[in-house]
Amino acid sequence: MNAIRASLVAQRARHLGPRMLSSSSTAPRRPDRTRASPQGNIGPSVLSAHQVFAPLAKNRPVFKISKPITVIREPQQFYRDLLHGIKHARRRICLSSLYIGSDETQLISALDRALEQNPALQLCVLLDCLRGTRTDATGMSSAALLSPLVARFGAERVQVAMYHTPALSGLSKQAWPQRYNEAFGLQHIKAYVFDDEVIVSGANLSRDYFTNRQDRYMRIPDRQFTDYFAGLIATISQFSFRVLADDRASRYRLQMAPSVADPTREPRAFIREANERMAEFLQRAELEHAVEAGAVSEHDTLAIPTVQMRQLGITQDEAHMAEFFDLVNTFARSHGCRSLMASAYFNFSDQYKRSVLDSASRWDLLVASPQANGFYTAKGISQFIPDMYSIIEHEFVRAASARARGDISIEEYARAGWTFHGKGVWCYLNQKLPQLTMIGSPNYGYRSIYRDLEAQVTVILGSAQLQTDIHQEALGLLSHSKIVSQDELQQRARGSPLWLHGLKPFIMKKM
């Protein structure tokens, strides 16, 4: 038994071994990274992760997490945890998502029961207005699904907010149909608050995310940290449309607070007001949750939340990521480093691709295979989106090969009957277990930086158990992945329609 277990552990550990970009269509062998000497390694570093990443904690709110953090591995468990949180919440439930699936009646019923059984319970829901009002074949939408809760329990107890991008206003809003109008910008933050704990994720609230769409999920039980996310959701809700019950056939109506400009009519005034509210929230959070360097030990787990809202003039996460890449590069030049970055789509922004190519760290990039891409079974032009990502992958592999970066590889998640929506970062410095992870809503693409509202959390791991859990999470994802070769990507690119290459700049900025 022990021999079998050791063999399985060794086999899975190879998934984090150094990869070589191969021109062969056969995936290269995976060397064991636990035995390999990282490029530029001059021996173990005497610096702790807290020292290496200390600059990330400056000018940002920082939370010491004393209670154990739970890493949720499967979507079914994520759904069970959501239902458990709803059932046992006594004071507040705050749900921030892109949308709620129009057929999620069980989830709505659970919220209804919780509100009925706990008169003191408050519910706030933040969704995107464009996605949340998009109707399905039956005419149902997220807004229509939630409006009965507003009607039954009142707008004081049930607050449903719909954020609307200021980039779609006036005649443009009238011209662009549902679904396609979502390219202009979305509320993309995923955080689920139940009293004093929050689940930070990249998953939305719909059936596939509860069954066979793989994402990441982390449950963090900390009052102050949870207050931050509840406050973030409340602040965005202040400059969002409210869903109010309506007796007409539409079942709901949207209303903006009288003190806030309508983003569809006065986008400039809206941006100014939203920026002021967000800047005030972030400044207050930074002042209230600053951590002195001397007050932190290497055994402390630190959570650093960052947000990105470039359309509103907020670029906190963009600056945070640039600093992270710089810190990793500096450390890797002296001590060696290996890092894993995941996204649902191979559509990393130009700055992030440059940062990876210029970095002294080894990098593995984990993305969905064409079959595990959510657009694989789509109709119309959307069915070609997986092909577009293969074209972009091929261009990146060629760029890495031209730089002789054999320590950069692309992994594709391929699990029969599943799609992949995971995103985040695992940083190993020069150790066998990760010392840092990032988790949240950004896909690290153009949209994440320039169009959508995003939030992620950087966790500096002080607990050996948490390091092990995060490492096992990475291995679990990689166990369903395979290295994709340059030849394979070239074949895919050649098999794509020529007109698709011409649409690449547009799709890269819209998807």
Side-chain angles (χ1 to χ4, degrees):
M1 176 68 73
N2 290 335
I4 295 174
R5 183 175 298 160
S7 176
L8 288 173
V9 170
Q11 183 179 4
R12 298 181 74 193
R14 291 191 187 98
H15 280 282
L16 287 175
R19 276 46 170 226
M20 298 295 292
L21 286 172
S22 172
S23 60
S24 168
S25 60
T26 302
R29 183 178 64 87
R30 303 169 184 262
D32 188 345
R33 200 173 253 181
T34 62
R35 296 184 180 180
S37 176
Q39 181 181 358
N41 191 351
I42 60 173
S45 169
V46 296
L47 295 173
S48 70
H50 295 72
Q51 292 172 309
V52 173
F53 295 118
L56 297 181
K58 293 181 179 179
N59 304 318
R60 288 161 198 135
V62 183
F63 300 85
K64 283 187 183 180
I65 309 298
S66 58
K67 295 181 180 179
I69 292 175
T70 301
V71 178
I72 303 169
R73 300 279 294 276
E74 296 286 342
Q76 298 90 340
Q77 186 60 51
F78 168 57
Y79 187 52
R80 288 193 291 269
D81 280 18
L82 287 175
L83 295 179
H84 181 274
I86 292 170
K87 181 178 180 179
H88 294 277
R90 294 295 178 264
R91 294 182 295 105
R92 62 181 176 183
I93 298 174
C94 301
L95 309 176
S96 176
S97 184
L98 174 61
Y99 68 101
I100 297 178
S102 57
D103 58 350
E104 286 307 317
T105 55
Q106 183 180 2
L107 188 70
I108 299 302
S109 295
L111 291 169
D112 185 277
R113 285 193 300 272
L115 288 164
E116 182 178 31
Q117 294 171 5
N118 301 284
L121 183 63
Q122 298 281 323
L123 170 65
C124 58
V125 181
L126 172 65
L127 305 175
D128 179 75
C129 190
L130 298 174
R131 185 64 179 86
T133 57
R134 188 212 290 183
T135 55
D136 61 15
T138 67
M140 184 58 71
S141 66
S142 302
L145 192 68
L146 288 162
S147 62
L149 294 180
V150 180
R152 182 177 181 192
F153 298 102
E156 294 303 315
R157 286 189 67 196
V158 179
Q159 300 182 20
V160 179
M162 297 269 176
Y163 171 83
H164 193 292
T165 174
L168 186 66
S169 61
L171 293 177
S172 294
K173 180 171 175 60
Q174 303 301 321
W176 285 87
Q178 284 190 350
R179 186 179 183 185
Y180 296 100
N181 58 10
E182 296 165 22
F184 287 85
L186 297 168
Q187 192 302 113
H188 201 242
I189 297 169
K190 311 341 174 5
Y192 307 108
V193 169
F194 308 103
D195 286 345
D196 295 334
E197 69 176 27
V198 58
I199 297 176
V200 178
S201 181
N204 293 303
L205 299 176
S206 67
R207 187 52 39 187
D208 52 346
Y209 289 93
F210 303 151
T211 53
N212 62 346
R213 188 155 172 76
Q214 182 66 59
D215 213 298
R216 297 183 67 207
Y217 335 83
M218 183 180 289
R219 188 171 70 244
I220 302 178
D222 183 270
R223 173 72 179 266
Q224 291 188 333
F225 182 75
T226 303
D227 284 347
Y228 170 90
F229 269 96
L232 175 63
I233 294 169
T235 301
I236 299 172
S237 297
Q238 290 174 8
F239 50 85
S240 298
F241 286 101
R242 290 282 295 275
V243 173
L244 301 178
D246 198 318
D247 293 334
R248 294 175 299 177
S250 62
R251 287 176 283 184
Y252 71 89
R253 57 189 172 90
L254 299 178
Q255 179 177 296
M256 182 66 74
S259 60
V260 180
D262 186 329
T264 68
R265 298 177 180 178
E266 301 176 89
R268 292 184 179 179
F270 173 83
I271 291 171
R272 182 173 60 253
E273 294 170 14
N275 175 273
E276 290 175 356
R277 292 173 190 250
M278 278 304 308
E280 180 183 354
F281 169 79
L282 293 174
Q283 290 169 4
R284 184 172 64 251
E286 177 190 330
L287 291 173
E288 293 178 355
H289 302 290
V291 174
E292 297 295 332
V296 174
S297 80
E298 63 183 57
H299 301 295
D300 289 325
T301 292
L302 304 180
I304 308 169
T306 49
V307 299
Q308 181 74 10
M309 306 174 176
R310 199 177 237 273
Q311 289 185 346
L312 306 181
I314 304 296
T315 58
Q316 185 185 54
D317 189 64
E318 183 180 349
H320 183 82
M321 289 297 294
E323 193 159 26
F324 166 74
F325 278 115
D326 286 344
L327 293 172
V328 167
N329 186 39
T330 299
F331 182 88
R333 289 188 183 282
S334 299
H335 305 288
C337 184
R338 61 189 188 273
S339 304
L340 169 65
M341 190 175 192
S343 175
Y345 318 104
F346 197 97
N347 194 18
F348 298 103
S349 69
D350 288 341
Q351 51 262 59
Y352 291 165
K353 286 188 286 189
R354 283 195 301 269
S355 294
V356 169
L357 291 171
D358 293 341
S359 178
S361 174
R362 293 173 172 175
W363 282 91
D364 292 298
L365 304 178
L366 174 62
V367 296
S369 67
Q371 295 76 15
N373 189 295
F375 292 98
Y376 186 69
T377 58
K379 297 180 180 179
I381 193 173
S382 296
Q383 66 183 299
F384 295 101
I385 290 176
D387 294 330
M388 174 59 65
Y389 292 135
S390 292
I391 293 171
I392 301 170
E393 281 183 61
H394 181 234
E395 291 179 352
F396 178 81
V397 168
R398 289 179 60 190
S401 180
R403 295 189 181 206
R405 288 301 307 268
D407 55 351
I408 297 176
S409 68
I410 298 175
E411 298 265 359
E412 288 188 345
Y413 186 94
R415 187 177 180 184
W418 286 60
T419 57
F420 182 70
H421 197 249
K423 67 272 293 180
V425 173
W426 295 255
C427 184
Y428 285 73
L429 296 181
N430 62 345
Q431 306 295 323
K432 293 182 179 180
L433 295 176
Q435 288 83 49
L436 174 147
T437 192
M438 295 181 181
I439 183 172
S441 65
N443 279 302
Y444 306 117
Y446 182 95
R447 287 196 62 131
S448 296
I449 297 175
Y450 293 96
R451 295 190 182 277
D452 298 341
L453 305 192
E454 306 279 13
Q456 72 172 340
V457 180
T458 298
V459 185
I460 301 176
L461 311 171
S463 158
Q465 182 59 58
L466 184 56
Q467 290 177 351
T468 300
D469 291 345
I470 295 295
H471 180 60
Q472 291 299 320
E473 177 196 33
L475 292 181
L477 296 176
L478 289 170
S479 70
H480 297 289
S481 73
K482 68 179 184 68
I483 298 172
V484 62
S485 70
Q486 186 171 341
D487 275 359
E488 181 180 349
L489 290 171
Q490 185 177 36
Q491 291 172 9
R492 290 188 206 165
R494 287 177 175 174
S496 302
L498 289 176
W499 57 263
L500 197 57
H501 294 257
L503 283 180
K504 182 168 67 69
F506 173 81
I507 292 180
M508 288 182 68
K509 293 183 178 181
K510 298 295 183 182
M511 303 306 297

